[in-house]
Amino acid sequence: MASVANHEQPRVVLSARGLRRDFAGFIAVNNVDLDIHHGKIHALIGPNGAGKTTVFNLLTKFLQPSAGRIELLGTDITNTSPAKVARMGLVRSFQISAIFPFLSVLDNVRVALQRPNGLGVQFWRSLSALDRLTPRAEELLRSVGLDDAKHKLAGDLSYGRKRVLEIATTLALEPKVLLLDEPMAGMGHEDVGMVSNIIRSVAGDRAVLMVEHNLTVVADLCDWITVLQRGEILAAGDYAAVSQDERVKVAYMGTEHD
């Protein structure tokens, strides 16, 4: 179980209160409260259909809440656009890896660095114009263990290393809060260990909220866990507490009467 010795309560960087989303009368998310803390890894777990992805979409403003309030770094973002929220430091990676397979690993990161360096709309410029971004791109690749692959085509990486490259491109956007949607999906044991170590490292100076089905990963990596069922919070706490909650056991494994 991840833990950090700290006598001061880490600051809340992303919070939600009374979060609700209706779809034509169906309540997908109902009365969800969340506090995501700087320097901590927070997992959102639950059985299929529990509302995890809907909560992610609400927090990142891909969906508008039917009710409730969302704050990022002390600012109300309930009615803010997804693009502005991303510029404010709330960055999401998706379950399906989003890289440019025919660009090099280094160029993938250099392209991602364009926006925070004021080059985001200068799409007509040649790749040589990105040369000044190379030192920072190489630094990011070193931080995730991809410096040995910087000249390879991104499409030639293993599945696990593609996901690591995706993390590097999201870090290029300088997130204050990083949302990871099932980062371990489809990975073998070796890749899971590698990506877990990277997530632990990048969480040192930012908050991480992740949806993850691999409970071994959650137990090892996450400081706090929120369990959803049918769109509502079923339980919350550290893994030791949540894993012993009878309601959580029933939600995941059912009962003999099911």
Side-chain angles (χ1 to χ4, degrees):
M1 178 65 203
S3 63
V4 177
N6 191 344
H7 297 295
E8 296 182 5
Q9 179 70 14
R11 73 181 186 275
V12 175
V13 290
L14 176 66
S15 68
R17 290 292 179 271
L19 207 57
R20 178 186 174 103
R21 175 66 193 199
D22 302 342
F23 292 100
F26 170 71
I27 302 174
V29 169
N30 187 38
N31 197 33
V32 166
D33 293 345
L34 289 172
D35 284 321
I36 312 304
H37 295 85
H38 176 79
K40 299 292 186 179
I41 303 174
H42 190 135
L44 196 60
I45 70 171
N48 290 334
K52 303 181 298 294
T53 298
T54 302
V55 169
F56 255 40
N57 287 335
L58 291 169
L59 294 174
T60 52
K61 306 317 308 302
F62 285 88
L63 285 175
Q64 184 63 20
S66 303
R69 176 184 174 94
I70 306 169
E71 287 191 1
L72 174 64
L73 303 172
T75 299
D76 186 346
I77 62 167
T78 309
N79 297 308
T80 304
S81 70
K84 185 174 181 180
V85 165
R87 290 194 296 272
M88 291 172 66
L90 180 60
V91 178
R92 174 182 181 176
S93 74
F94 290 85
Q95 185 177 350
I96 299 173
S97 184
I99 60 171
F100 298 107
F102 299 110
L103 290 181
S104 72
V105 168
L106 179 65
D107 282 340
N108 265 268
V109 181
R110 293 201 302 173
V111 167
L113 282 166
Q114 287 182 82
R115 179 171 293 280
N117 285 275
L119 299 174
V121 296
Q122 301 183 35
F123 54 86
W124 61 87
R125 302 184 68 178
S126 67
L127 279 176
S128 62
L130 302 180
D131 285 347
R132 69 182 178 88
L133 304 180
T134 298
R136 175 58 178 154
E138 291 179 334
E139 180 184 354
L140 284 167
L141 289 175
R142 282 194 298 274
S143 74
V144 298
L146 282 177
D147 47 320
D148 63 328
K150 64 183 179 181
H151 297 305
K152 290 184 178 180
L153 287 179
D156 290 340
L157 295 177
S158 69
Y159 178 75
R161 297 195 99 193
K162 286 176 183 174
R163 298 309 304 266
V164 171
L165 176 57
E166 183 187 3
I167 291 174
T169 61
T170 57
L171 293 178
L173 300 175
E174 301 177 359
K176 304 295 191 300
V177 185
L178 181 59
L179 275 63
L180 301 174
D181 192 358
E182 296 191 36
M184 311 300 177
M187 287 188 187
H189 178 73
E190 183 176 332
D191 283 341
V192 166
M194 171 184 64
V195 175
S196 291
N197 288 335
I198 289 167
I199 292 172
R200 185 180 288 110
S201 175
V202 303
D205 56 1
R206 60 183 52 83
V208 174
L209 174 64
M210 57 191 288
V211 167
E212 182 53 55
H213 284 289
N214 187 327
L215 295 185
T216 301
V217 168
V218 171
D220 176 62
L221 196 58
C222 297
D223 301 285
W224 195 260
I225 297 132
T226 298
V227 185
L228 291 180
Q229 183 182 38
R230 299 188 182 96
E232 298 186 345
I233 293 178
L234 181 66
D238 62 20
Y239 186 81
V242 165
S243 63
Q244 295 303 312
D245 191 305
E246 291 300 322
R247 298 168 302 169
V248 175
K249 293 179 181 179
V250 171
Y252 268 96
M253 296 175 285
T255 70
E256 62 184 3
H257 303 297
D258 285 348

